[in-house]
Amino acid sequence: MPQVALTVNGKKVTVDVEGRTLLVELLREKLGLTGTHVGCDTSQCGACVIHLDGASVKSCTMLALQAAGRSVTTIEGLAKSDGTLHPMQEMFREHHALQCGFCTPGMVMSAIDLVQSHPEGLSEQQIRHGLEGNLCRCTGYHNIVKAIAAAWPLMHGKTMPAAAE
Amino acid sequence: MYDFTYQKPASVADAVKLLGADPEAKALAGGMTLIPVLKQRLNKPSALVDLADAGLAGISVAGGTVRIGAMTTHATVANSADVKKAIPALAKLAGGIGDKEVRHRGTIGGSLANDDPTADYPAAVLALGATVETNKRSIKADDFFQGMFMTALEPGELITAVSFPVPEKAAYMKFPNPASRYALVGVFVAKGPAGVRVAVTGAGQNGVFRQKAMEAALGKSFSQAAIADIATPADELNSDIHAGAEYRAHLVGVMARRAVAAAG
Ligand SMILES: Cc1cc2nc3c(=O)[nH]c(=O)nc-3n(C[C@H](O)[C@H](O)[C@H](O)COP(=O)(O)OP(=O)(O)OC[C@H]3O[C@@H](n4cnc5c(N)ncnc54)[C@H](O)[C@@H]3O)c2cc1C
Ligand code: FES
Ligand code: FES
């Protein structure tokens, strides 16, 4: 059986997998990191979004072996060891950006990538477009958009440039 | 998914050798089409040959040509300062494919090899008169696309790069399927070394095609007015749950005029 060595949430792991094992299966079933969800399993819903070397990707549409040697961050890897939440998690809580919570891990991972890749600021329109790969059946998205806008200044350590708002 | 062996060769030559040795083996690029297909058990390859380490990613601009390696992701093309400067319409097209998670993995080579009739890149390749480079030869855009999900690629032949001549002006307009973002209709208009070319994706029963009546009219006068009365016959267009052929024919006109306006 092939083995895959990668870094997950800062820890190096080596795991036995099959060729066909998906990255999300490795995370959930082999490593017990069940924060990453499977919603559609057809690459549409974004519940399975994780970071691969910092970029958001759908872990249901990647083989575990494709992640060899790479660094994966899941929702479990965001909070500090003392339990302090990541600013994006904190803003999701503050702005009531979740109801059932099923989409939330993927939303948060996707949102962090969106904010990090837009140091010049983000308009509401850009936030909505940036969430095209994430479906939520509960919230209607408004509070998710608010939470992301509120996390931007916290993550960049300055106020959002006015032009972007 | 049926199981398969997984290989990640370190060069194109090794990838070609692995694919040549086993007719049941398949190339793997971003996996954004192939993995969903495997999950549905629509395909049963014996082995996947991952091209990730074969040295096929990267963008270079020289001598009026933008050359994009087959494994370059949509996100890289969309964000490339070089592409934005040389062919802004191409960067914009790449930034409008699917969603950002798909763009982080999906590649230009995978998209062209797959030749989905509703994919975006085929319109750019055909309208810009690009050349598809493989491990064996160079294929002109006009010869590459051969129908729905059909290309000139031979079994085991790999796309290595795509070379786009820099146009004088160009624009792409798509009416996206609101759920998938694939093109219900997409029109790429370019004025360049090969004259004016208009390529339509999403609409044709045989995949991407050139709207030659519009090309001729725009060649005389590059303006919205020049193509205002040019209809696209509906009989060779797709009808499905998303749109009928008549509506698609109408959208070709609307998207073409918007693209002409955007190209300026
Ligand atoms: C939710 C979602 C939305 C999408 N929306 C859009 C959209 O709006 N517009 C659009 O155009 N596309 C869209 N796509 C498709 C996406 O653009 C993918 O990039 C494309 O499907 C295939 O590229 P890939 O790199 O993932 O290839 P893969 O899935 O890895 O491979 C596809 C096929 O090409 C072959 N192949 C791959 N690379 C090569 C090569 N270098 N040489 C020869 N053969 C090769 C493989 O063997 C396979 O048969 C979407 C996909 C998803 C999942
Ligand atoms: S579970 Fe991966 S996109 Fe829905
Ligand atoms: S909170 Fe229920 S799916 Fe988003």
mmCIF file with all atom_site columns, all heavy atoms in Angstrom, chain A residues 97-104 135-139, ligand 3:
data_model
loop_
_atom_site.group_PDB
_atom_site.id
_atom_site.type_symbol
_atom_site.label_atom_id
_atom_site.label_alt_id
_atom_site.label_comp_id
_atom_site.label_asym_id
_atom_site.label_entity_id
_atom_site.label_seq_id
_atom_site.pdbx_PDB_ins_code
_atom_site.Cartn_x
_atom_site.Cartn_y
_atom_site.Cartn_z
_atom_site.occupancy
_atom_site.B_iso_or_equiv
_atom_site.pdbx_formal_charge
_atom_site.auth_seq_id
_atom_site.auth_comp_id
_atom_site.auth_asym_id
_atom_site.auth_atom_id
_atom_site.pdbx_PDB_model_num
ATOM   1  N  N   . ALA A 1 97  ? -22.749 34.334 11.716 1.00 0.00 ? 97  ALA A N   1
ATOM   2  C  CA  . ALA A 1 97  ? -22.599 33.950 10.317 1.00 0.00 ? 97  ALA A CA  1
ATOM   3  C  C   . ALA A 1 97  ? -22.832 32.459 10.101 1.00 0.00 ? 97  ALA A C   1
ATOM   4  O  O   . ALA A 1 97  ? -22.445 31.914 9.078  1.00 0.00 ? 97  ALA A O   1
ATOM   5  C  CB  . ALA A 1 97  ? -21.219 34.355 9.819  1.00 0.00 ? 97  ALA A CB  1
ATOM   6  N  N   . LEU A 1 98  ? -23.425 31.791 11.088 1.00 0.00 ? 98  LEU A N   1
ATOM   7  C  CA  . LEU A 1 98  ? -23.734 30.377 10.893 1.00 0.00 ? 98  LEU A CA  1
ATOM   8  C  C   . LEU A 1 98  ? -25.025 30.032 11.607 1.00 0.00 ? 98  LEU A C   1
ATOM   9  O  O   . LEU A 1 98  ? -25.388 30.660 12.597 1.00 0.00 ? 98  LEU A O   1
ATOM   10 C  CB  . LEU A 1 98  ? -22.611 29.483 11.402 1.00 0.00 ? 98  LEU A CB  1
ATOM   11 C  CG  . LEU A 1 98  ? -22.188 29.596 12.858 1.00 0.00 ? 98  LEU A CG  1
ATOM   12 C  CD1 . LEU A 1 98  ? -21.744 28.254 13.383 1.00 0.00 ? 98  LEU A CD1 1
ATOM   13 C  CD2 . LEU A 1 98  ? -21.081 30.631 13.000 1.00 0.00 ? 98  LEU A CD2 1
ATOM   14 N  N   . GLN A 1 99  ? -25.696 29.032 11.059 1.00 0.00 ? 99  GLN A N   1
ATOM   15 C  CA  . GLN A 1 99  ? -26.888 28.519 11.739 1.00 0.00 ? 99  GLN A CA  1
ATOM   16 C  C   . GLN A 1 99  ? -26.644 27.048 12.056 1.00 0.00 ? 99  GLN A C   1
ATOM   17 O  O   . GLN A 1 99  ? -26.213 26.726 13.138 1.00 0.00 ? 99  GLN A O   1
ATOM   18 C  CB  . GLN A 1 99  ? -28.130 28.783 10.888 1.00 0.00 ? 99  GLN A CB  1
ATOM   19 C  CG  . GLN A 1 99  ? -28.452 30.294 10.881 1.00 0.00 ? 99  GLN A CG  1
ATOM   20 C  CD  . GLN A 1 99  ? -29.638 30.649 10.033 1.00 0.00 ? 99  GLN A CD  1
ATOM   21 O  OE1 . GLN A 1 99  ? -30.528 29.834 9.771  1.00 0.00 ? 99  GLN A OE1 1
ATOM   22 N  NE2 . GLN A 1 99  ? -29.682 31.897 9.587  1.00 0.00 ? 99  GLN A NE2 1
ATOM   23 N  N   . CYS A 1 100 ? -26.828 26.142 11.077 1.00 0.00 ? 100 CYS A N   1
ATOM   24 C  CA  . CYS A 1 100 ? -26.569 24.730 11.406 1.00 0.00 ? 100 CYS A CA  1
ATOM   25 C  C   . CYS A 1 100 ? -25.070 24.463 11.527 1.00 0.00 ? 100 CYS A C   1
ATOM   26 O  O   . CYS A 1 100 ? -24.657 23.521 12.181 1.00 0.00 ? 100 CYS A O   1
ATOM   27 C  CB  . CYS A 1 100 ? -27.185 23.803 10.368 1.00 0.00 ? 100 CYS A CB  1
ATOM   28 S  SG  . CYS A 1 100 ? -26.204 23.632 8.871  1.00 0.00 ? 100 CYS A SG  1
ATOM   29 N  N   . GLY A 1 101 ? -24.261 25.259 10.837 1.00 0.00 ? 101 GLY A N   1
ATOM   30 C  CA  . GLY A 1 101 ? -22.808 25.108 10.946 1.00 0.00 ? 101 GLY A CA  1
ATOM   31 C  C   . GLY A 1 101 ? -22.171 24.134 9.978  1.00 0.00 ? 101 GLY A C   1
ATOM   32 O  O   . GLY A 1 101 ? -20.952 23.978 9.976  1.00 0.00 ? 101 GLY A O   1
ATOM   33 N  N   . PHE A 1 102 ? -22.989 23.499 9.145  1.00 0.00 ? 102 PHE A N   1
ATOM   34 C  CA  . PHE A 1 102 ? -22.397 22.465 8.286  1.00 0.00 ? 102 PHE A CA  1
ATOM   35 C  C   . PHE A 1 102 ? -21.427 23.059 7.267  1.00 0.00 ? 102 PHE A C   1
ATOM   36 O  O   . PHE A 1 102 ? -20.358 22.510 7.010  1.00 0.00 ? 102 PHE A O   1
ATOM   37 C  CB  . PHE A 1 102 ? -23.493 21.663 7.550  1.00 0.00 ? 102 PHE A CB  1
ATOM   38 C  CG  . PHE A 1 102 ? -22.944 20.427 6.919  1.00 0.00 ? 102 PHE A CG  1
ATOM   39 C  CD1 . PHE A 1 102 ? -22.817 19.252 7.658  1.00 0.00 ? 102 PHE A CD1 1
ATOM   40 C  CD2 . PHE A 1 102 ? -22.486 20.428 5.622  1.00 0.00 ? 102 PHE A CD2 1
ATOM   41 C  CE1 . PHE A 1 102 ? -22.254 18.114 7.092  1.00 0.00 ? 102 PHE A CE1 1
ATOM   42 C  CE2 . PHE A 1 102 ? -21.919 19.299 5.048  1.00 0.00 ? 102 PHE A CE2 1
ATOM   43 C  CZ  . PHE A 1 102 ? -21.808 18.136 5.794  1.00 0.00 ? 102 PHE A CZ  1
ATOM   44 N  N   . CYS A 1 103 ? -21.773 24.208 6.692  1.00 0.00 ? 103 CYS A N   1
ATOM   45 C  CA  . CYS A 1 103 ? -20.921 24.816 5.673  1.00 0.00 ? 103 CYS A CA  1
ATOM   46 C  C   . CYS A 1 103 ? -19.756 25.575 6.282  1.00 0.00 ? 103 CYS A C   1
ATOM   47 O  O   . CYS A 1 103 ? -18.838 25.988 5.575  1.00 0.00 ? 103 CYS A O   1
ATOM   48 C  CB  . CYS A 1 103 ? -21.738 25.778 4.808  1.00 0.00 ? 103 CYS A CB  1
ATOM   49 S  SG  . CYS A 1 103 ? -22.234 27.279 5.693  1.00 0.00 ? 103 CYS A SG  1
ATOM   50 N  N   . THR A 1 104 ? -19.825 25.823 7.598  1.00 0.00 ? 104 THR A N   1
ATOM   51 C  CA  . THR A 1 104 ? -18.946 26.809 8.235  1.00 0.00 ? 104 THR A CA  1
ATOM   52 C  C   . THR A 1 104 ? -17.444 26.519 8.115  1.00 0.00 ? 104 THR A C   1
ATOM   53 O  O   . THR A 1 104 ? -16.681 27.440 7.799  1.00 0.00 ? 104 THR A O   1
ATOM   54 C  CB  . THR A 1 104 ? -19.354 26.992 9.717  1.00 0.00 ? 104 THR A CB  1
ATOM   55 O  OG1 . THR A 1 104 ? -20.765 27.211 9.757  1.00 0.00 ? 104 THR A OG1 1
ATOM   56 C  CG2 . THR A 1 104 ? -18.636 28.174 10.343 1.00 0.00 ? 104 THR A CG2 1
ATOM   57 N  N   . LEU A 1 135 ? -21.497 26.811 -0.713 1.00 0.00 ? 135 LEU A N   1
ATOM   58 C  CA  . LEU A 1 135 ? -22.947 26.916 -0.594 1.00 0.00 ? 135 LEU A CA  1
ATOM   59 C  C   . LEU A 1 135 ? -23.363 26.842 0.865  1.00 0.00 ? 135 LEU A C   1
ATOM   60 O  O   . LEU A 1 135 ? -22.815 26.076 1.648  1.00 0.00 ? 135 LEU A O   1
ATOM   61 C  CB  . LEU A 1 135 ? -23.630 25.778 -1.366 1.00 0.00 ? 135 LEU A CB  1
ATOM   62 C  CG  . LEU A 1 135 ? -23.342 25.732 -2.870 1.00 0.00 ? 135 LEU A CG  1
ATOM   63 C  CD1 . LEU A 1 135 ? -24.070 24.557 -3.507 1.00 0.00 ? 135 LEU A CD1 1
ATOM   64 C  CD2 . LEU A 1 135 ? -23.736 27.031 -3.535 1.00 0.00 ? 135 LEU A CD2 1
ATOM   65 N  N   . CYS A 1 136 ? -24.356 27.667 1.234  1.00 0.00 ? 136 CYS A N   1
ATOM   66 C  CA  . CYS A 1 136 ? -24.933 27.626 2.579  1.00 0.00 ? 136 CYS A CA  1
ATOM   67 C  C   . CYS A 1 136 ? -26.436 27.534 2.427  1.00 0.00 ? 136 CYS A C   1
ATOM   68 O  O   . CYS A 1 136 ? -27.032 28.325 1.710  1.00 0.00 ? 136 CYS A O   1
ATOM   69 C  CB  . CYS A 1 136 ? -24.574 28.903 3.340  1.00 0.00 ? 136 CYS A CB  1
ATOM   70 S  SG  . CYS A 1 136 ? -25.384 28.960 4.959  1.00 0.00 ? 136 CYS A SG  1
ATOM   71 N  N   . ARG A 1 137 ? -27.030 26.548 3.092  1.00 0.00 ? 137 ARG A N   1
ATOM   72 C  CA  . ARG A 1 137 ? -28.472 26.373 2.945  1.00 0.00 ? 137 ARG A CA  1
ATOM   73 C  C   . ARG A 1 137 ? -29.252 27.156 4.004  1.00 0.00 ? 137 ARG A C   1
ATOM   74 O  O   . ARG A 1 137 ? -30.466 27.162 4.003  1.00 0.00 ? 137 ARG A O   1
ATOM   75 C  CB  . ARG A 1 137 ? -28.840 24.885 3.062  1.00 0.00 ? 137 ARG A CB  1
ATOM   76 C  CG  . ARG A 1 137 ? -28.218 24.054 1.962  1.00 0.00 ? 137 ARG A CG  1
ATOM   77 C  CD  . ARG A 1 137 ? -28.566 22.598 2.137  1.00 0.00 ? 137 ARG A CD  1
ATOM   78 N  NE  . ARG A 1 137 ? -28.137 22.119 3.439  1.00 0.00 ? 137 ARG A NE  1
ATOM   79 C  CZ  . ARG A 1 137 ? -28.443 20.933 3.927  1.00 0.00 ? 137 ARG A CZ  1
ATOM   80 N  NH1 . ARG A 1 137 ? -29.223 20.119 3.264  1.00 0.00 ? 137 ARG A NH1 1
ATOM   81 N  NH2 . ARG A 1 137 ? -27.986 20.558 5.109  1.00 0.00 ? 137 ARG A NH2 1
ATOM   82 N  N   . CYS A 1 138 ? -28.546 27.729 4.996  1.00 0.00 ? 138 CYS A N   1
ATOM   83 C  CA  . CYS A 1 138 ? -29.262 28.327 6.117  1.00 0.00 ? 138 CYS A CA  1
ATOM   84 C  C   . CYS A 1 138 ? -29.269 29.848 6.128  1.00 0.00 ? 138 CYS A C   1
ATOM   85 O  O   . CYS A 1 138 ? -30.312 30.468 6.267  1.00 0.00 ? 138 CYS A O   1
ATOM   86 C  CB  . CYS A 1 138 ? -28.643 27.879 7.441  1.00 0.00 ? 138 CYS A CB  1
ATOM   87 S  SG  . CYS A 1 138 ? -28.532 26.102 7.651  1.00 0.00 ? 138 CYS A SG  1
ATOM   88 N  N   . THR A 1 139 ? -28.104 30.459 6.020  1.00 0.00 ? 139 THR A N   1
ATOM   89 C  CA  . THR A 1 139 ? -27.990 31.860 6.449  1.00 0.00 ? 139 THR A CA  1
ATOM   90 C  C   . THR A 1 139 ? -28.457 32.894 5.444  1.00 0.00 ? 139 THR A C   1
ATOM   91 O  O   . THR A 1 139 ? -28.713 34.035 5.817  1.00 0.00 ? 139 THR A O   1
ATOM   92 C  CB  . THR A 1 139 ? -26.516 32.208 6.738  1.00 0.00 ? 139 THR A CB  1
ATOM   93 O  OG1 . THR A 1 139 ? -25.776 32.078 5.512  1.00 0.00 ? 139 THR A OG1 1
ATOM   94 C  CG2 . THR A 1 139 ? -25.909 31.296 7.776  1.00 0.00 ? 139 THR A CG2 1
HETATM 95 S  S1  . FES C 2 .   ? -25.094 27.387 8.307  1.00 0.00 ? 3   FES C S1  1
HETATM 96 FE FE1 . FES C 2 .   ? -26.223 25.670 7.641  1.00 0.00 ? 3   FES C FE1 1
HETATM 97 S  S2  . FES C 2 .   ? -25.400 25.313 5.679  1.00 0.00 ? 3   FES C S2  1
HETATM 98 FE FE2 . FES C 2 .   ? -24.504 27.180 6.218  1.00 0.00 ? 3   FES C FE2 1
#
